[in-house]
């Protein structure tokens, strides 16, 4: 899994919870944090002040803490994402790779890990349930955009009509 996919994962989780996507600076803070950059370096990349970047970062960590149900900050972002998304984020040091629960790899170097997923470890059921729910909501929304009725969508996705009708009402 590359950095773009990690950002997409976080963006989808944030969107599912808040209805808003991450902005460029928030994405930059996440990516910069995973690359162990300081706020001043991230600020330079986005042509803003260090103070503004820290404020946006503080709000981002608060929001992610609420979403993931655990404290998230600049120092523990990597481990939180690994737990929440069953990801293994890789920075080039092969000795730090843990093959348990390896689903994907964020590669910030030219080296690639050779680890494979450990199928004996189950995925986090809460994450999997949220992920499946998000996928269903996206499919239902997409099918509605194509003009299908709720009855047709329920038939296509093999879901109860009541479930399809609930999507959109929960927002």
């Amino acid at each position: 899994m590359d950095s773009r996919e990690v950002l997409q994962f976080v963006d989808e989780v944030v969107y599912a919870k808040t209805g808003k996507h991450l902005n460029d600076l928030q994405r930059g803070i996440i990516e910069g944090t995973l690359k162990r950059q300081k706020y001043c370096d991230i600020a330079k990349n986005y042509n803003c002040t260090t103070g503004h970047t820290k404020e946006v970062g503080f709000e981002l960590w608060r929001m992610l803490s609420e979403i993931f149900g655990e404290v998230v900050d600049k120092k523990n972002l990597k481990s939180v994402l690994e737990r929440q998304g069953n990801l293994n984020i890789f920075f080039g040091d092969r000795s730090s790779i843990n093959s348990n629960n390896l689903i994907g790899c964020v590669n910030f170097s030219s080296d690639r890990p050779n680890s494979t997923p450990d199928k004996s470890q189950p995925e986090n059921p809460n994450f999997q349930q949220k992920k499946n729910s998000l996928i269903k909501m996206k499919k239902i929304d997409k099918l509605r955009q194509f003009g299908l009725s709720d009855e047709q969508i329920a038939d296509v996705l093999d879901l109860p009509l009541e479930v399809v009708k609930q999507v959109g009402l929960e927002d």
Side-chain angles (χ1 to χ4, degrees):
M1 181 175 275
D2 63 19
S3 61
R4 180 187 54 80
E5 291 172 313
V6 168
L7 290 171
Q8 182 178 343
F9 162 74
V10 175
D11 187 60
E12 287 176 358
V13 171
V14 168
Y15 183 76
K17 185 72 172 182
T18 67
K20 296 180 183 178
H21 290 284
L22 295 172
N23 65 36
D24 290 344
L25 182 55
Q26 290 170 322
R27 294 173 70 90
I29 290 169
I30 292 169
E31 187 172 16
T33 297
L34 293 174
K35 291 180 179 178
R36 301 185 189 268
Q37 291 179 333
K38 297 183 180 208
Y39 281 121
C40 62
D41 297 323
I42 297 168
K44 285 178 189 174
N45 292 336
Y46 287 86
N47 200 26
C48 60
T49 66
T50 301
H52 177 68
T53 303
K54 285 181 178 181
E55 288 174 18
V56 172
F58 176 79
E59 288 301 317
L60 177 62
W61 306 140
R62 187 182 60 73
M63 177 178 61
L64 293 177
S65 295
E66 289 176 18
I67 290 170
F68 291 132
E70 63 179 297
V71 174
V72 178
D73 59 31
K74 201 168 189 286
K75 294 176 184 170
N76 73 354
L77 176 65
K78 178 180 178 267
S79 59
V80 169
L81 291 177
E82 286 175 339
R83 275 192 300 280
Q84 294 293 329
N86 283 334
L87 305 172
N88 192 358
I89 301 173
F90 178 64
F91 293 95
D93 177 9
R94 289 183 184 268
S95 64
S96 68
I97 295 174
N98 175 358
S99 63
N100 292 335
N101 295 327
L102 178 64
I103 302 273
C105 174
V106 178
N107 188 1
F108 291 103
S109 72
S110 60
D111 296 331
R112 294 209 178 254
N114 293 324
S115 300
T116 56
D118 179 357
K119 302 291 185 189
S120 67
Q121 296 292 324
E123 276 193 23
N124 178 336
N126 290 336
F127 169 75
Q128 190 60 43
Q129 185 178 15
K130 288 178 186 175
K131 182 178 167 185
N132 289 342
S133 220
L134 178 64
I135 291 169
K136 283 181 187 176
M137 288 189 321
K138 284 185 172 187
K139 286 181 180 178
I140 291 169
D141 286 341
K142 185 80 166 185
L143 291 171
R144 282 181 177 152
Q145 289 174 6
F146 286 123
L148 271 66
S149 68
D150 286 351
E151 291 79 11
Q152 292 169 319
I153 294 170
D155 186 48
V156 168
L157 297 178
D158 198 28
L159 292 171
L161 181 58
E162 297 76 30
V163 170
V164 174
K165 286 184 177 187
Q166 283 296 105
V167 174
L169 300 176
E170 298 168 349
D171 296 335

